[in-house]
Amino acid sequence: MNVKPLIYGYLREDLVSHANQVEEWDRQIREFASAEGFDMGTVFAEPPNRMWSAFATLMIELKRSECHDVAVPALPHMHRPGSASPTAMVELLFVEAHAVVWVADPAATRIGMNTTEPPTLRRNGG
């Protein structure tokens, strides 16, 4: 029996630029997870009027499930407005939940970026 690793998704609805973008991002994350051999869990969508509620729930779920992977549609979804560091949320996920962030880039084939390390591409299985 081959057990796939679990991955969660995270996106920020305040970054939407057109009507169907949240659905497109959700599909992008799910397609990435499938292509990379992950078992897709919940995609946590951060509503614009309740910033950080979905991120807090994601953090709790990562710790509860011992999942160590999160996919985002693009790196700006991991930027906390007002923060001096564009990777503060990535660092928090890594330190608090031992999770790495994958950028589910539709232009890349079967590649996700591990944003907790210097710019290198992380492929499925290593």
Side-chain angles (χ1 to χ4, degrees):
M1 182 170 157
N2 188 9
V3 178
K4 296 178 181 179
L6 178 64
I7 191 169
Y8 290 111
Y10 177 79
L11 59 89
R12 287 180 35 203
E13 293 178 358
D14 65 314
L15 300 177
V16 167
S17 63
H18 63 275
N20 297 323
Q21 194 154 29
V22 171
E23 292 82 12
E24 290 172 12
W25 285 334
D26 186 274
R27 184 177 62 253
Q28 178 182 335
I29 290 170
R30 292 179 186 285
E31 288 174 357
F32 171 82
S34 177
E36 286 295 320
F38 286 102
D39 184 14
M40 187 73 231
T42 303
V43 175
F44 295 87
E46 194 72 70
N49 59 343
R50 293 180 49 209
M51 290 304 282
W52 317 123
S53 62
F55 185 79
T57 304
L58 168 63
M59 185 71 76
I60 291 166
E61 186 60 20
L62 285 166
K63 291 176 182 179
R64 185 198 66 76
S65 67
E66 297 184 15
C67 174
H68 302 289
D69 295 284
V70 177
V72 295
L75 197 51
H77 290 266
M78 284 281 106
H79 183 256
R80 184 175 188 149
S83 173
S85 171
T87 60
M89 291 171 62
V90 172
E91 293 164 9
L92 183 61
L93 286 170
F94 185 73
V95 170
E96 295 293 324
H98 309 289
V100 295
V101 173
W102 294 76
V103 177
D105 183 357
T109 303
R110 295 182 44 83
I111 295 175
M113 185 188 304
N114 175 349
T115 57
T116 61
E117 297 174 0
T120 59
L121 296 178
R122 180 173 174 181
R123 298 179 187 273
N124 190 30

